[in-house]
Amino acid sequence: MPSHRLAMTVGLLAAAPLVLTACGDSGQKAGPADATDVTIQITDDGCAPDPASAAAGPITFTVKNVDSGRVTEAEVMKDGKIIGEKENLTPGLSGTFTLRLDAGDYTVMCPNAKTDRSPFTVTGRAAAGAADAGLTDAVRAYQDYLSEQSASLTAATTTFATAVRTGDLEKARSLYARTRTYYERIEPVAETFGDLDPMIDARVNDVADTAEWTGFHRIEKALWQDGDLAGMGTYADKLLTDVTDLERRIGTLQLAPEQIANGAVGLMDEVAKSKITGEEDRYSHTDLWDFAANVAGAREIVDVLSPTLRERDTALLTRIDSQLADVMASLASYQTKDGYQDYSAVTDASRRTMTQQVNALAESLSRVAPIVAGA
């Protein structure tokens, strides 16, 4: 979950140091050849884009954390929604993302900075290109997937909330991880609605006032650490209200192909930030369920975009398919007939292996958005 909604402290495993970047340092241009390059340097003071305006069309944003220990991400926003972002950048790290933008006023946001918002203007009209039927089909297919997953999330949360409300501790425990899988598969899209994600998925260290802590992890603590669901009915009702609102909003969402591609990188960022480290489900230790759901969400994105990738960069698609298979094989070794083992069963050696696999996959996935944005 992006730290801008709430302050975040990310703990990294000493046994499995993690570095995720969205682009290599090969010196090659990160985005399409005709893309405008915009640099965003993150400091404690802010993250003003340079230049502050660009022509409509493909734009590649290179984000670098210069020296800030508390500001670790930058986002491009339009009409209150996040349309592109780069997260989890500790000092010295950089990453890129590419968007095809129409003329208009945008905002670059870097949460926790002294000046956390800077204007960004897109002018003119993008050059008209031939409609790409493959990308049109990809967007339609992915929006159908989002609708299916969000509807399933609402239905599963309804059953989960009932178990919590009635104090059925064992049933609620058995439903917790399975219910969350629907959310984790579409989490980057859910995060575009900045107000909903923290209400649904914040951890305790993400909130300044624990009295305002709501969502899955608030209930998770009651289920496993407290062992008592007294008073949790209110939280269950709010969670159901929030995921129902998410389903409604997803039904109105319009996505561009490069936003879908960026979402795959976002899903791997989620694995990197909190699944491999074990901090996501710190009370239940059901992290592997979330890890698998993030990977499944990335797999879906690759699947819908694969016809275009097959035409434009077959070698990249082959590499991504192989890397996805590697990650899925690592997960499969901890699978049970009912789901996944407790995360404590994952050895340090396996965590290091999965870290390397996720890094490699994220690097490859970061090259997809520039390809589709250059259509």
Side-chain angles (χ1 to χ4, degrees):
M1 127 194 5
S3 59
H4 81 238
R5 276 62 91 175
L6 310 151
M8 171 181 286
T9 301
V10 178
L12 297 180
L13 282 171
L18 193 59
V19 177
L20 272 181
T21 60
C23 63
D25 295 323
S26 63
Q28 296 179 343
K29 185 176 177 66
D34 62 340
T36 301
D37 292 319
V38 174
T39 300
I40 301 173
Q41 293 197 339
I42 297 174
T43 69
D44 286 339
D45 289 331
C47 57
D50 181 21
S53 65
I59 301 172
T60 296
F61 295 89
T62 298
V63 185
K64 181 174 183 178
N65 186 338
V66 178
D67 58 10
S68 177
R70 71 180 188 215
V71 184
T72 61
E73 66 185 273
E75 302 149 353
V76 176
M77 303 183 68
K78 175 69 172 174
D79 299 329
K81 295 185 180 69
I82 301 167
I83 59 174
E85 65 181 336
K86 185 46 56 184
E87 303 177 84
N88 201 33
L89 297 175
T90 53
L93 290 187
S94 63
T96 69
F97 60 92
T98 300
L99 298 170
R100 177 173 284 274
L101 299 181
D102 293 327
D105 295 324
Y106 298 80
T107 300
V108 174
M109 182 171 179
C110 47
N112 301 318
K114 183 177 179 181
T115 301
D116 63 358
R117 295 168 188 261
S118 298
F120 181 69
T121 305
V122 178
T123 60
R125 185 187 296 264
D132 188 305
L135 290 177
T136 299
D137 290 344
V139 171
R140 184 181 302 112
Y142 189 65
Q143 289 185 312
D144 287 344
Y145 176 76
L146 291 176
S147 296
E148 292 166 1
Q149 294 299 311
S150 60
S152 295
L153 173 63
T154 300
T157 303
T158 299
T159 305
F160 175 66
T162 298
V164 172
R165 194 182 305 110
T166 58
D168 192 335
L169 191 70
E170 290 309 311
K171 184 174 183 180
R173 283 177 174 172
S174 71
L175 293 171
Y176 172 80
R178 195 174 302 277
T179 300
R180 281 178 53 75
T181 58
Y182 301 108
Y183 185 79
E184 293 292 332
R185 289 171 189 158
I186 61 173
E187 188 165 7
V189 174
E191 288 177 349
T192 64
F193 309 109
D195 56 334
L196 279 179
D197 178 60
M199 292 190 291
I200 293 172
D201 203 40
R203 280 77 54 85
V204 65
N205 52 287
D206 298 328
V207 297
D209 182 356
T210 57
E212 298 177 359
W213 183 28
T214 64
F216 278 115
H217 296 299
R218 176 65 185 90
I219 299 172
E220 178 200 7
K221 178 178 180 294
L223 286 170
W224 274 275
Q225 180 167 294
D226 303 337
D228 185 357
L229 288 172
M232 286 294 109
T234 299
Y235 293 99
D237 290 342
K238 176 166 175 48
L239 176 62
L240 181 56
T241 296
D242 291 338
V243 299
T244 302
D245 190 16
L246 176 62
E247 180 185 3
R248 178 189 63 78
R249 296 196 203 186
I250 282 177
T252 66
L253 193 61
Q254 298 297 315
L255 293 171
E258 65 272 16
Q259 287 178 277
I260 296 174
N262 288 330
V265 182
L267 283 160
M268 291 303 96
D269 283 346
E270 286 297 322
V271 172
K273 285 192 304 176
S274 54
K275 276 67 172 183
I276 288 179
T277 63
E279 69 172 279
E280 177 79 0
D281 295 295
R282 63 192 67 174
Y283 310 109
S284 62
H285 307 296
T286 55
D287 304 85
L288 286 173
W289 288 77
D290 290 357
F291 189 161
N294 288 157
V295 173
R299 172 79 266 179
E300 179 67 22
I301 290 170
V302 172
D303 285 347
V304 300
L305 292 173
S306 62
T308 297
L309 289 175
R310 194 170 291 113
E311 289 179 1
R312 302 181 185 180
D313 196 332
T314 303
L316 176 61
L317 177 59
T318 299
R319 185 164 71 249
I320 289 172
D321 283 340
S322 176
Q323 291 167 339
L324 274 166
D326 288 343
V327 175
M328 293 166 72
S330 289
L331 282 166
S333 66
Y334 292 98
Q335 200 163 8
T336 69
K337 64 182 179 64
D338 298 319
Y340 289 91
Q341 295 180 45
D342 187 291
Y343 193 63
S344 62
V346 182
T347 65
D348 285 349
S350 291
R351 296 184 191 199
R352 284 193 293 271
T353 296
M354 288 191 284
T355 296
Q356 294 164 356
Q357 292 171 336
V358 168
N359 278 325
L361 177 57
E363 168 67 20
S364 297
L365 288 172
S366 72
R367 301 182 184 278
V368 175
I371 291 173
V372 300

